[in-house]
Amino acid sequence: MADIESKSPFSPYRADGKLYGFVCVVSGADQPVGEAIIHELAAHGAACIYGISKPSFPFSMHYPLLPYTIRNRIHGPLITACSLKPSPPPSLPPSCNTKIITYPFSPSAEDSTLTLIDDILNTWGRLDVWVCSSGLLGPPSITNTTPADLQKCFEANTYAPFFALKYAPPAMAKLCEKRNYPNAEVKDVKYGSIVVVGSVAGSYGGCWGPCYTMSSHAALGVVRSGVAVLKGSGVRINCISPGQIDIGVDLNNFDMRGMTSQLPPASMQSKESQKSTIGLERAGLPTEVARVAGFLASGFSSYITGANLVVDGGASTMCPLTVPV
């Protein structure tokens, strides 16, 4: 990849955000981790983020209010919920001008992926970041696993990264002049980052069920094979492997067949067990996964590709035989 330190549009140190001007795709927008990643990318100045969700998912009503949420989180309260206006007031900083587009389709569908990329290039002229966070847990035991369950897990956990690896890099290689939309910036070097949100189940056995472990291993395989595929393209590909993440769901509201969730509920492990087996003595948060995604999307990770960044509070290092997933 070109030396982005000498290219001001891609400098991660620019005052208006390390992702200023970037056009991004985040799948799994209907899951807690995907939603947190959208917040993270927007907070750092992305021009546009396509939030990919299931076709049946009702669009999140708070996405139009996201600029205000980010502004208040970073700079302190400026306006209250009762005084919100349809468009951001002039006092909002540039990092709050991010356009959030909810886009319902299956990220494991090849034709839909190609249609989305065409739409992005026609509208924005560039594509910079693609985050695959549309994982599926699957059944916890092989007894309850059908071939159809296995197929769905591989589609969610592996097809989406594969299609991103195959089709996103040519779009990311396209250069463009500065256009007339908020947070627009020139793209004068080839740059792209593909981030796959996997699981520690991609490196270990015995995490949840066979579907999850098998497809997570395959997702990490997409990342590792992608290094050679992307040579000379200016595009990087990396994996984030979360451990126990508190997604705000307890056992009473959880589908134990795992066909509607990306991660198991943290409440499956007691607080005492978390203190015993996790180095940081607690489950992680979706925002803590999202910050790693923001790092991998930006120029701060310009010499990192093919990596697997484990975000598990030290659990797999301290107790590799009792990985809490």
Side-chain angles (χ1 to χ4, degrees):
M1 188 180 75
D3 179 12
I4 63 171
E5 294 302 323
S6 64
K7 303 289 185 179
S8 57
F10 284 92
S11 171
Y13 294 102
R14 56 184 300 162
D16 42 15
K18 63 185 179 183
L19 303 176
Y20 189 86
F22 283 23
V23 175
C24 313
V25 172
V26 179
S27 67
D30 48 349
Q31 298 282 359
V33 172
E35 185 173 320
I37 291 172
I38 290 175
H39 278 74
E40 179 69 16
L41 301 185
H44 291 283
C48 176
I49 303 171
Y50 282 74
I52 306 303
S53 63
K54 300 184 186 74
S56 60
F57 180 70
F59 291 165
S60 177
M61 293 303 295
H62 68 265
Y63 278 149
L65 308 183
L66 183 57
Y68 304 97
T69 303
I70 294 169
R71 193 269 171 219
N72 290 345
R73 180 184 300 171
I74 298 174
H75 303 282
L78 173 68
I79 51 178
T80 62
C82 62
S83 65
L84 290 176
K85 304 297 182 183
S87 58
S91 53
L92 286 175
S95 61
C96 293
N97 290 327
T98 302
K99 176 75 171 178
I100 309 295
I101 299 176
T102 50
Y103 200 96
F105 86 92
S106 171
S108 61
E110 184 175 22
D111 56 345
S112 296
T113 302
L114 291 169
T115 299
L116 171 60
I117 291 174
D118 286 342
D119 185 23
I120 291 171
L121 292 180
N122 290 333
T123 305
W124 305 93
R126 62 187 290 174
L127 174 62
D128 304 285
V129 176
W130 194 294
V131 182
C132 299
S133 184
S134 54
L136 187 62
L137 197 55
S141 71
I142 197 166
T143 304
N144 296 326
T145 301
T146 67
D149 295 334
L150 185 63
Q151 176 69 25
K152 289 178 181 177
C153 284
F154 268 90
E155 288 178 357
N157 298 337
T158 309
Y159 283 26
F162 172 77
F163 289 141
L165 173 62
K166 185 173 182 178
Y167 295 119
M172 292 174 169
K174 291 186 179 297
L175 309 181
C176 74
E177 299 295 327
K178 185 174 181 178
R179 294 197 174 190
N180 187 25
Y181 53 78
N183 288 22
E185 186 55 274
V186 63
K187 184 171 185 176
D188 54 3
V189 295
K190 294 180 179 180
Y191 181 94
S193 177
I194 299 171
V195 181
V196 178
V197 180
S199 166
V200 290
S203 301
Y204 297 92
C207 299
W208 193 252
C211 275
Y212 192 51
T213 299
M214 293 165 63
S215 56
S216 295
H217 272 71
L220 184 55
V222 173
V223 171
R224 288 172 171 166
S225 65
V227 176
V229 172
L230 296 172
K231 283 187 65 177
S233 69
V235 178
R236 299 176 292 108
I237 184 169
N238 292 286
C239 184
I240 302 173
S241 288
Q244 187 68 270
I245 303 297
D246 187 353
I247 56 175
V249 177
D250 58 32
L251 289 173
N252 293 329
N253 299 316
F254 185 71
D255 169 23
M256 289 303 295
R257 290 204 75 248
M259 300 309 293
T260 58
S261 182
Q262 179 182 15
L263 298 167
S267 57
M268 291 191 68
Q269 191 179 38
S270 67
K271 298 294 184 182
E272 292 73 19
S273 180
Q274 290 178 4
K275 287 184 178 181
S276 174
T277 60
I278 301 177
L280 295 180
E281 299 187 332
R282 63 173 177 83
L285 298 173
T287 53
E288 292 174 306
V289 179
R291 289 168 192 156
V292 180
F295 164 72
L296 291 174
S298 76
F300 281 121
S301 58
S302 59
Y303 200 59
I304 300 176
T305 191
N308 179 29
L309 300 189
V310 178
V311 184
D312 69 349
S316 58
T317 299
M318 192 177 76
C319 300
L321 300 181
T322 56
V323 180
V325 173

